[in-house]
């Protein structure tokens, strides 16, 4: 039955394609562009959004990572072995400031991971092989190997150990890769023993714990904490904690990208649907004829669907391939910096899904209106359905055309506007497509501005100090006396965890006095902290722990002590994903007397930082400018820019396509009108004016829709998707709006010129005969 | 499993011989009514023992962690393992005696300021000074008593360390649970006031209101009064343990500890700089119920008192006890034949016509948790063995004889005694059954787990005659059972405890828990 219906419908669809070859090509181009956007969004969303999980799976990332001051391995092993829900564990020594050398390049700040011989390592060997128990071998982190051009089999110099053969490259998502973090390599305990002699019970400072059921992680952590006495500077990091730590370097960038991609997905889908629907609207008269000669409704809808499918399937495939090629490379580079693997085969299914969506959306958008159209009276369909009014008789049209050309210069443009407005459904679809594209471009521009601000402007984090100096707290008053310095105070910062949800890491910041002099992220609820028993917490922390003003936040400090403070206010902070707490220094120091500090230096307005920096250096400090939220992620931002550029180009092409299609269809449908104008003496410029009127009719409302959409919907949605814990400035500026509208008008001009040239190639007689 | 219809069950019940098969087909909750395992009424074939459906019996079902994720779940029962180190398998005949061995209940007053919980963080040997489930010891003992009531043994051996810190109120609570009565756990006017309060900001203590697994309101519920029916008419044979009369099972109460116990100042935090002296750590296999050296505790306590203290409600009921008073109050549980005023709680008693139980008191009167044999005990034991005649003998002590100072001569005496069949002990908190082969026939050294650490089990012991004049001991563990969820929470917390019985293997192997221990006929 279905096959019997399919055959004729398919034949008709093929016939339609042959008859409308150029228009089909144009439609295919649109579908290809939307599919490219769709696939680009998928590559980014899947690659970056799921990158951490993929890396954690590949590397066998432990459920808990514990860092502590060096202890004998047997002591640590004994305590870990006693934990419930334990599936396995591994210990290692993490050595910092190790000298390395390769091919003439040297560094003295590398991190060496001295691993044991157990089967669980917490990293994935992505090239070469794992370490063996014997031999002078190292594994090098892939991001670092790529940056330095390290090759397998080559000698890699390690301070104290001499040349070691590189046997593999690894990815370990427990930290970001080089250059976001220090270069990292892995060496076996056996190699250390071979060089320095075997230790019966070596010291370790790092343990990885795998659980049978991570659901009971909190119970395990409570037990681990209860039995950890004597282990100093103890820090737990759970998988979610590691993710947060990685986010410190890259989170907001990735979150923005993923959010952008999700919006791009929705946008591309809407464009596909609008475009396909417009195509059907154009064919209403033809549908009317078919119905008049007795064609069944199902047959018509099926033929429309098949025709759309025949166009969409190859176009979507091409578009998906193009979008993937354009974004896969940059996304992979970005992932590599995060020690995360490229999605590779894992992307096949999402891309297939994207392709299917790019085919099904136009098919559905073609079949459904066609089906509905067949339910309408045939007479209405034959009259042109949504064409406004009647054009009248040919002599009348000629007379009116002549009057338009002779007396009203603006009349041609107005006529163009009338012509394009006549097809209301198509007008609406095109305006939506253009509006979405405009909004998307505005979003990209505001995103670029926001990233730039986050990268370079500490003020975006609420930081009001410009320099930090590595000096003891007691030297703050000396620093305050330096000319050009308005205020200086010790800034204490420790990494804590929530006492009751030990996987939730918290960045604890403390000042001896009023912290708002140096840091004042905007307050969203409550009030500023007053008194030693209060804290201001970031909205990210408040969301994670369900805290609000008046409640108690309990911070488990690396010292092993717990600090309990009443939440005075909740602040909007981008730092550490909003998982920050500002506490009084007296409270922090009473619980953790060894908390590390730097001097925060606030300069006078318009003061030159150079002499202050020199004066600080003279005091023996290592002054450093205050950084922004994504300062550590500068390489990420660079990659992001590449991706944004690729997406913006695709989006610009979508705009151009939509305009060309709209103008071309108008000319195609109004061949006789254009021919009449030309017969009355209208030259190419008159045709261009006519088309310009049509294009402006599309562009002006589209620009308005685009600006409003970005300002009211997409910008806030992206900000909320990327960082619900802080207010991101994602509203396009006036300059950005003007630039975008100008770009839109330029695209309209290009479309007008191109279509006018195409129209000029047709003879007037042929047009009149149409 | 044999299918039992209602009609058939009723018919068999009316015949009065089908209690066990019926029980085997009933759910656990129905088992209480169905089983009667007294020595006189219970069939003792091997088949029957496999099908026993005790209320709390681990033969029928017990708690386990089959997936190893730290969560206990009800699981299948553990069958009795045949152990033939001391004799070949033989058909089981009539029962001679049935006993319940419940030891190391450590009923404690978790609000007591005399507790030295802060030493727990120093790890071994102080891991017993704080346990996450310690506020629930009374409920666990009550659940065990419920299981014992269902077992209906001829006598209940209370194996020592009934309480934890030699306090009068602890002993009052424990005795009320055993003999029946109203129990008001804890002390002070607020019910619970200790280190596990949510308001305590010391993260080294498990605080059920805020730490995982969270049990909001647990401490309040743990200190609610309850009524225990007791062991209902079964005689209790008390054994003295170190914790019954020594502070933390270690120190003879002093003026300092006495005033601390009833006073309003408590030590919750480890004072800065206080650490375990080098070489003080013992290995993890050592006894968990008390540190090995009183001098060490004394020294640490003295230092700790110089540090900050916390205000707690004072309560005179926390008075620390003298040995004589503890012995007297414990003896009151026992049959009248047990001496009330002797210097030590050594005594012998018949359980049925063919079994004699000899109880040894090995607690050091000068302090220290390890057992110690004192002068005269060997002679007394020898005379009691001689008086036993043809009766089978079960010797009971709190500390194992083989790890007690001066224990070897006593073991040598037992080695020569042909009718000694078992030596029961506690103190190690571990289920263990070892065969001690001797020329006289040998006997079984049986150690039972505590009620405070995982697995929180008591032991059923049934002595059965075997064909050919031999004897066998059927023994299986009893899980505590209770009406509410507090017992289950206590068991789960004890299982999670990283310093508790799970990582230290206190549950023992299956052969240490449920077994039939054969012993060849006596050569005398």
């Amino acid at each position: 039955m279905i096959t019997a219906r399919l055959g004729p419908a398919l034949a008709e669809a093929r016939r339609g394609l042959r008859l409308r070859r150029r228009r089909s090509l144009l439609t295919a181009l649109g579908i290809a562009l939307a599919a490219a956007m769709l696939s680009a969004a998928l590559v980014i969303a899947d690659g970056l959004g799921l990158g951490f999980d993929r890396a954690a799976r590949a590397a066998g990332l432990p459920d808990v990572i514990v860092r502590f001051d060096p202890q004998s391995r047997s002591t640590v092993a004994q305590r870990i072995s006693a934990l419930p829900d334990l599936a396995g564990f591994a210990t290692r020594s993490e050595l910092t400031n190790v000298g390395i050398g390769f091919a003439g390049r040297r560094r003295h700040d590398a991190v060496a991971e001295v691993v044991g011989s157990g089967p669980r390592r917490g990293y994935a060997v992505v090239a070469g092989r794992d370490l063996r128990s014997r031999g002078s071998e190292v594994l090098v982190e892939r991001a670092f190997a790529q940056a330095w051009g390290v090759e397998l089999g080559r000698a890699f110099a390690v301070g104290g150990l001499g040349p070691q053969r590189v046997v593999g490259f690894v990815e370990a998502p427990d930290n970001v890769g080089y250059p976001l973090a220090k270069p990292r390599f892995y060496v076996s305990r056996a190699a250390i023993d071979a060089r320095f002699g075997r230790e019966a019970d070596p010291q370790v400072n790092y343990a990885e714990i795998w659980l049978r059921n991570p659901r009971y992680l909190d119970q395990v952590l409570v037990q681990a904490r209860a039995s950890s006495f004597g282990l100093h500077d103890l820090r737990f990091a759970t998988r979610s904690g590691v993710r947060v730590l990685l986010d410190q370097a890259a989170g907001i960038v990735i979150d923005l990208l993923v959010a952008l991609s999700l919006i791009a997905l929705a946008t591309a889908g809407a464009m596909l649907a609008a475009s396909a629907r417009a195509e059907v609207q154009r064919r209403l008269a033809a549908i009317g004829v078919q119905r008049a000669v007795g064609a069944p409704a199902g047959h018509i809808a099926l033929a429309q669907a098949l025709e759309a499918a025949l166009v969409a399937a190859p176009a979507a495939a091409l578009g998906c391939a193009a979008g993937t090629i354009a974004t896969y490379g940059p996304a992979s580079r970005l992932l590599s910096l995060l020690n995360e693997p490229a999605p590779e085969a894992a992307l096949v299914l999402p891309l297939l899904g994207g392709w299917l969506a790019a085919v099904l959306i136009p098919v559905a958008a073609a079949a459904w209106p066609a089906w509905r159209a067949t339910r309408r009276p045939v007479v209405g369909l034959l009259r042109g359905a949504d064409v406004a009014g009647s054009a009248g008789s040919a002599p009348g049209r000629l007379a009116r055309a002549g009057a338009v050309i002779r007396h009203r210069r603006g009349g041609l443009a107005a006529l163009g506007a009338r012509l394009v407005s006549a097809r209301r459904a198509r007008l609406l679809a095109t305006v939506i497509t253009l509006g979405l594209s405009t909004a998307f471009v505005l979003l990209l521009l505001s995103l670029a501005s926001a990233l730039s601000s986050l990268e370079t402007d500490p003020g975006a984090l609420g930081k009001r100090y410009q320099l930090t100096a590595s000096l003891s707290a007691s030297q703050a008053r000396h620093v305050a006396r330096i000319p050009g310095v308005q205020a200086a105070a010790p800034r204490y910062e420790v990494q804590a965890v929530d006492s009751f949800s030990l996987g939730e890491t918290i960045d604890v910041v403390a000042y001896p006095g009023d912290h708002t002099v140096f840091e004042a992220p905007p307050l969203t609820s409550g009030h500023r902290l007053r008194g030693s028993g209060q804290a201001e917490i970031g909205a990210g922390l408040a969301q994670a722990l369900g805290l609000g003003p008046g409640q108690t936040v309990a911070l488990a400090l690396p010292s092993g002590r717990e600090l309990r403070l009443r939440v005075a206010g909740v602040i909007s902070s981008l730092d550490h994903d909003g998982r920050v707490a500002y506490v009084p220094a007296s409270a922090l120091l009473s619980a953790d007397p060894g908390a590390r500090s730097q001097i925060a230096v606030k300069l006078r307005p318009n003061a030159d930082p150079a002499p202050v920096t020199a004066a600080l250096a003279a005091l023996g400090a290592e002054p450093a400018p205050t950084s922004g939220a994504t300062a550590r992620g500068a390489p990420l931002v660079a990659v992001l820019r590449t991706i944004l550029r690729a997406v913006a180009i695709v989006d610009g092409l979508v705009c151009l396509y939509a305009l060309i299609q709209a103008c071309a269809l108008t000319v195609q449908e109004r061949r006789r009108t254009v021919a009449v104008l030309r017969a009355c003496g209208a030259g190419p410029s008159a045709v261009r004016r006519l088309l310009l009127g049509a294009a402006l009719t599309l562009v002006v409302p589209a620009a308005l829709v685009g600006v409003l959409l970005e300002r009211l919907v997409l910008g806030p949605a992206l900000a909320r998707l990327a960082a619900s814990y802080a207010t991101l400035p994602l509203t396009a500026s006036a300059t950005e709006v003007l630039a975008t509208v100008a770009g839109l008008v330029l695209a309209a001009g290009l479309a007008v010129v191109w279509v006018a040239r195409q129209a000029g190639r047709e003879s007037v007689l042929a047009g009149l005969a149409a | 499993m044999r299918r039992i219809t209602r009609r058939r069950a009723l018919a068999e019940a009316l015949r009065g011989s089908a209690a066990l098969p019926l029980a085997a087909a009933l759910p656990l909750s129905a088992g209480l009514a169905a089983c009667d395992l007294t020595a006189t009424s219970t069939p003792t074939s091997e088949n029957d023992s496999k099908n026993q459906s005790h209320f709390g019996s681990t033969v029928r079902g017990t708690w386990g962690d089959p997936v190893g994720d730290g969560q206990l779940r009800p699981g299948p029962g553990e069958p009795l393992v045949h152990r033939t180190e001391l004799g070949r398998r033989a058909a089981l005949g009539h029962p001679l005696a049935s006993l319940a061995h419940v030891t190391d209940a450590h009923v404690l007053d978790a609000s007591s300021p005399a507790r030295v919980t802060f030493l727990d963080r120093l790890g071994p040997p102080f891991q017993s000074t704080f346990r996450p489930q310690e506020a629930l010891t009374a409920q666990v003992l009550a659940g065990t008593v419920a299981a014992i009531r269902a077992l209906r043994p001829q006598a209940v051996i209370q194996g020592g360390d009934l309480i934890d810190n030699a306090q009068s109120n602890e002993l009052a609570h424990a005795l009320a649970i055993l003999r029946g009565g109203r129990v008001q756990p804890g002390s002070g006017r607020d019910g619970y006031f200790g280190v596990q309060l949510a308001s305590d900001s010391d993260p080294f203590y498990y605080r059920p209101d805020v730490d995982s697994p969270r049990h909001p309101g647990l401490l309040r519920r743990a200190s609610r009064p309850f009524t225990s029916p007791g062991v209902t008419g079964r005689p209790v044979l008390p054994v003295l343990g170190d914790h019954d009369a020594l502070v933390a099972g270690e120190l003879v109460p002093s003026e300092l500890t006495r005033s601390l116990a009833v006073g309003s100042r408590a030590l919750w935090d480890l004072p800065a700089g206080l650490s375990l002296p080098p070489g003080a750590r013992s290995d993890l296999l050592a006894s968990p119920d008390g540190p090995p050296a009183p001098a060490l505790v004394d020294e640490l306590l003295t230092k700790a008192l110089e540090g900050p203290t916390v205000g707690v409600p004072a309560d005179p009921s926390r008075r620390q006890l003298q040995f004589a008073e503890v012995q007297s109050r414990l003896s009151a549980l026992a049959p009248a034949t047990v001496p009330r005023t002797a210097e030590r709680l050594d005594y012998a008693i018949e359980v049925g016509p063919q079994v004699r139980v000899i109880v040894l008191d090995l607690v050091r009167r000068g302090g220290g948790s390890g057992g110690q044999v004192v002068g005269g005990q060997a002679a007394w034991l020898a005379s009691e063995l001689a008086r036993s005649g043809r009766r089978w003998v079960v010797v009971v002590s709190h500390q194992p004889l083989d790890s007690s100072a001066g224990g070897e001569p006593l073991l040598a005496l037992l080695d020569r005694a042909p009718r000694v069949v078992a030596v029961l002990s506690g103190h190690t908190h571990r289920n263990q059954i070892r065969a001690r082969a001797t020329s006289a026939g040998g006997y079984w050294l049986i150690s039972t787990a505590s009620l405070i650490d995982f697995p929180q089990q008591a032991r059923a012991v049934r002595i059965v005659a075997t064909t050919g004049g031999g004897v066998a001991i059927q023994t299986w563990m009893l899980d505590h059972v209770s009406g509410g969820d507090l017992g289950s929470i206590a068991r789960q917390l004890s299982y999670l405890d990283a310093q508790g019985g799970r990582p230290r293997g206190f549950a023992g192997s299956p052969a240490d828990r449920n077994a039939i221990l054969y012993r060849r006929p006596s050569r005398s």
Side-chain angles (χ1 to χ4, degrees), chain A residues 486-716:
Chain A
Q486 186 177 346
R491 179 183 189 274
Y492 299 91
E493 184 171 354
V494 296
Q495 292 286 321
V497 290
D498 176 69
S499 281
F500 313 133
S501 302
L502 293 167
E504 298 291 347
T505 57
I506 303 160
D507 205 14
V508 181
V509 177
Y511 287 91
D514 179 10
H515 72 284
T516 58
V517 174
F518 299 94
E519 288 181 58
L523 201 61
T524 58
S525 62
H527 58 78
R528 294 289 179 192
L529 69 92
R530 306 170 196 139
S532 61
Q534 299 187 350
E536 280 173 33
I537 63 169
L541 183 61
Q543 285 169 9
L545 301 180
L547 290 174
Q551 291 179 297
T552 301
V553 60
L555 309 167
L557 301 170
S559 65
R561 298 293 300 274
E562 185 178 300
L563 183 60
R564 289 192 185 189
L565 299 163
R566 201 171 66 80
V567 177
V570 177
I571 51 173
S572 169
S573 173
L574 276 169
D575 218 2
H576 201 67
D577 281 8
R579 291 163 193 244
V580 293
Y582 288 89
V583 305
S586 56
L588 176 65
L589 291 174
S590 67
D592 189 357
R596 284 186 279 267
S597 73
Q598 286 186 315
I599 305 291
V601 183
K602 184 180 181 183
L603 302 180
R604 292 186 186 285
N606 304 319
D608 184 1
V612 178
T613 303
L616 287 171
L619 281 173
E622 287 178 19
T626 311
S627 55
T630 58
R632 281 182 64 204
L636 299 178
V637 176
V639 177
L640 177 63
R641 285 199 187 107
T642 311
I643 292 174
L644 289 182
R645 205 172 294 138
V647 176
I649 289 169
V650 171
D651 196 53
L653 288 172
V654 168
C655 279
L656 192 59
Y657 155 76
L659 283 164
I660 289 173
Q661 196 203 35
C663 292
L665 283 176
T666 304
V667 169
Q668 182 74 14
E669 285 166 5
R670 305 293 180 168
R671 283 168 70 192
R672 275 200 292 174
T673 307
V674 174
V676 166
L677 284 173
R678 289 172 67 196
C680 292
S685 66
V687 176
R688 281 199 290 272
R689 278 206 300 280
L690 176 84
L691 287 173
L692 189 63
L696 286 176
T697 307
L698 297 168
V699 162
V700 171
L704 196 64
V705 166
V707 171
L708 290 175
L709 203 59
E710 194 277 337
R711 194 159 289 231
L712 302 177
V713 182
L714 297 188

Side-chain angles (χ1 to χ4, degrees), chain B residues 402-491:
Chain B
D402 53 354
S403 65
S404 295
E408 275 307 316
L410 267 63
L411 284 169
L413 274 176
L414 300 178
D415 291 349
R416 292 193 294 274
R419 305 295 287 185
V420 173
V421 65
V423 176
L424 299 178
S425 65
H427 191 63
T428 60
H429 293 202
R430 185 184 299 272
N431 285 325
Q432 192 175 46
I433 300 175
R434 291 170 293 154
R436 186 170 171 103
T438 68
S439 56
Y443 50 90
W444 296 94
L445 297 166
I446 301 173
S447 168
T448 301
S450 72
L451 295 187
I452 191 161
D453 284 321
F454 183 79
Q456 299 192 330
Q457 288 174 331
R459 185 184 286 279
V461 177
R462 187 158 59 184
I463 301 163
V464 185
T466 57
T467 51
V471 71
I473 300 172
Q474 288 177 299
T475 180
W476 62 95
M477 307 314 300
L478 299 172
D479 285 326
H480 59 84
V481 291
S482 65
D485 63 342
L486 294 182
S488 298
I489 292 172
R491 182 169 23 234

Side-chain angles (χ1 to χ4, degrees), chain A residues 82 212 219 223 229 562 564, chain B residues 68 71 198 201 207 498 502:
Chain A
R212 287 186 192 279
Q219 296 183 13
Q223 292 302 323
F229 193 81
E562 185 178 300
R564 289 192 185 189
Chain B
Q71 308 302 310
S201 64
R207 297 152 298 185
R502 175 188 46 78

